[in-house]
Amino acid sequence: MQDSPRHLPAEERRAVTVEAVVDLAAEQNPSEITTAAIAKRMRLTQGALFRHFASKDAILKAVLEWVADRLLSRTDKASREASSVLSALEAMFATHIDFIARHPGAPRIVFAELQRHDDTPAKLLAQTLINRYRDRLSALIDKGKKSGEINGDVDANAAATLFIGMIQGLVIQSLLGGNAARLKKDAPGAFAIYLAGIRRPR
């Protein structure tokens, strides 16, 4: 029998809290999520919540760590299992889109933190996540240039930035349209255009 939220071990309580925040972010503006709302979603008191997190910023930091760990580990795995650089890029793209489709609150939290004026630990983590992801993509694109799969004139850093921007654009379009299904529907066509732009002509 699964433990109720009131009787979970400390690490599980922290994990459940993170997932509650991600779920809430899919339903409302992340900047408006209060600790009272988080506690209510978990059927806890705020006092019980603060036994595991010192502040709301500490909760957001844990959320960004969760997003970074899962997104990077899943896209890394997808890349490793691919047979070529171009298929690795496609696998990373598809994995990233699937992650967002499963956790629509995640990109909304990242966007919200990046827009904050002060350099909070959560904002710095969001910036680090983007930079680490861009570095992985840039290295993979450089590898593709050396193998002859990718046009040698392609700027690896610019192509990596465009890859990330393409996903961000798809997320924004799905949010503007209020249609989460649009993300997966539009993604293959967007990636096909990206691929045509970097692939070495045959």
Side-chain angles (χ1 to χ4, degrees), residues 5-6 13 17 34-40 42-55 59:
R6 294 178 182 277
R13 169 71 58 77
T17 304
T34 63
T35 53
I38 298 168
K40 182 178 179 182
M42 298 177 65
R43 304 194 304 278
L44 297 172
T45 65
Q46 288 190 68
L49 190 62
F50 285 126
R51 281 199 289 273
H52 299 277
F53 294 94
S55 64
I59 295 173

Side-chain angles (χ1 to χ4, degrees), residues 36-189:
I38 298 168
K40 182 178 179 182
R41 175 61 64 98
M42 298 177 65
R43 304 194 304 278
L44 297 172
T45 65
Q46 288 190 68
L49 190 62
F50 285 126
R51 281 199 289 273
H52 299 277
F53 294 94
S55 64
K56 181 182 174 182
D57 278 343
I59 295 173
L60 290 173
K61 180 174 180 288
V63 170
L64 266 295
E65 288 171 344
W66 181 91
V67 172
D69 177 68
R70 279 156 182 75
L71 178 60
L72 293 178
S73 64
R74 291 178 188 185
T75 53
D76 282 349
K77 182 175 184 290
S79 176
R80 285 194 306 269
E81 293 176 349
S83 59
S84 68
V85 168
L86 292 180
S87 61
L89 286 170
E90 184 172 10
M92 289 178 70
F93 182 82
T95 299
H96 195 152
I97 293 296
D98 182 69
F99 178 81
I100 293 170
R102 291 173 183 271
H103 308 287
R108 298 184 69 176
I109 291 169
V110 172
F111 287 155
E113 288 305 309
L114 290 174
Q115 292 178 67
R116 291 180 65 163
H117 294 294
D118 49 334
D119 288 333
T120 64
K123 179 180 178 179
L124 294 174
L125 269 172
Q127 292 172 333
T128 299
L129 167 60
I130 299 295
N131 290 335
R132 287 172 64 192
Y133 195 46
R134 184 185 295 111
D135 288 345
R136 282 164 161 77
L137 289 165
S138 182
L140 188 58
I141 291 163
D142 272 332
K143 182 180 176 182
K145 290 167 66 174
K146 291 175 183 175
S147 70
E149 292 180 67
I150 293 175
N151 193 322
D153 294 334
V154 168
D155 182 315
N157 289 326
T161 298
L162 181 59
F163 184 105
I164 295 170
M166 178 171 53
I167 294 173
Q168 292 171 335
L170 287 167
V171 171
I172 290 171
Q173 289 297 318
S174 69
L175 291 174
L176 288 173
N179 182 4
R182 180 175 177 177
L183 180 70
K184 293 194 115 177
K185 178 178 177 291
D186 292 348

